[in-house]
Amino acid sequence: MVEEIKKNLQEEIENFKQVQKDYHKTLSRRQQLDSQMNENITVKEELNLLKVENKVFKLIGPVLVRQDLDEAKENVNKRMEFIKIEIKKVEDSIIKLDEKQHVHKENLDTLQKSFQQSR
């Protein structure tokens, strides 16, 4: 009985650690997406300050290539939409992982109590 509880406790600890690891990775991804969104907001603001006759260049590898202002604005808007979708996915993932952590914590508490009572 005690050995079985010990085994279950160990498995639950490992599961909990894995969920925590996934949670921290997901939080890191969320921060990265926030950073990308902030960059794109800044770029969009800068592009909005330009006039049609201004020149816009896009860095492709080591080369600057001239780009149409409207095309540049459209590209930034598309990137921002993509980032918004990714942020939503990551936020949903964070919520699910948070719920999993909570379930694992409850299971750990229950198993620890059982272990202490069986000793």
Side-chain angles (χ1 to χ4, degrees):
M1 178 82 171
V2 174
E3 289 301 315
E4 186 179 323
I5 294 172
K6 245 181 170 179
K7 181 183 172 192
N8 290 341
L9 188 59
Q10 197 61 31
E11 287 176 10
E12 195 63 36
I13 288 170
E14 290 303 316
N15 291 337
F16 181 68
K17 284 180 181 179
Q18 184 59 47
V19 171
Q20 278 187 320
K21 188 177 177 181
D22 294 343
Y23 184 80
H24 290 293
K25 280 184 187 176
T26 307
L27 283 178
S28 177
R29 175 74 176 131
R30 175 68 163 96
Q31 290 172 337
Q32 183 182 24
L33 288 168
D34 281 340
S35 176
Q36 290 175 352
M37 181 60 87
N38 289 333
E39 277 180 33
N40 281 282
I41 288 170
T42 303
V43 170
K44 184 177 180 178
E45 289 170 355
E46 291 295 319
L47 288 174
N48 287 336
L49 296 175
L50 297 176
K51 295 179 175 88
V52 178
E53 62 271 3
N54 292 123
K55 294 178 184 176
V56 177
F57 293 90
K58 181 177 183 177
L59 185 63
I60 301 177
V63 179
L64 284 174
V65 178
R66 188 160 182 201
Q67 188 176 32
D68 181 58
L69 179 60
D70 290 332
E71 183 182 344
K73 286 180 181 181
E74 186 178 324
N75 286 343
V76 171
N77 286 332
K78 284 180 185 177
R79 238 180 284 134
M80 288 175 68
E81 281 305 311
F82 175 77
I83 293 169
K84 284 179 189 176
I85 291 167
E86 288 300 306
I87 286 173
K88 176 68 174 133
K89 287 179 189 176
V90 168
E91 285 177 345
D92 291 345
S93 221
I94 288 171
I95 290 169
K96 288 177 186 173
L97 288 168
D98 197 36
E99 290 169 357
K100 281 184 179 181
Q101 280 189 85
H102 182 71
V103 168
H104 285 295
K105 281 181 187 178
E106 288 178 350
N107 290 345
L108 281 170
D109 286 343
T110 304
L111 286 168
Q112 283 177 333
K113 287 177 186 173
S114 296
F115 182 71
Q116 288 173 347
Q117 289 174 352
S118 67
R119 292 176 82 189

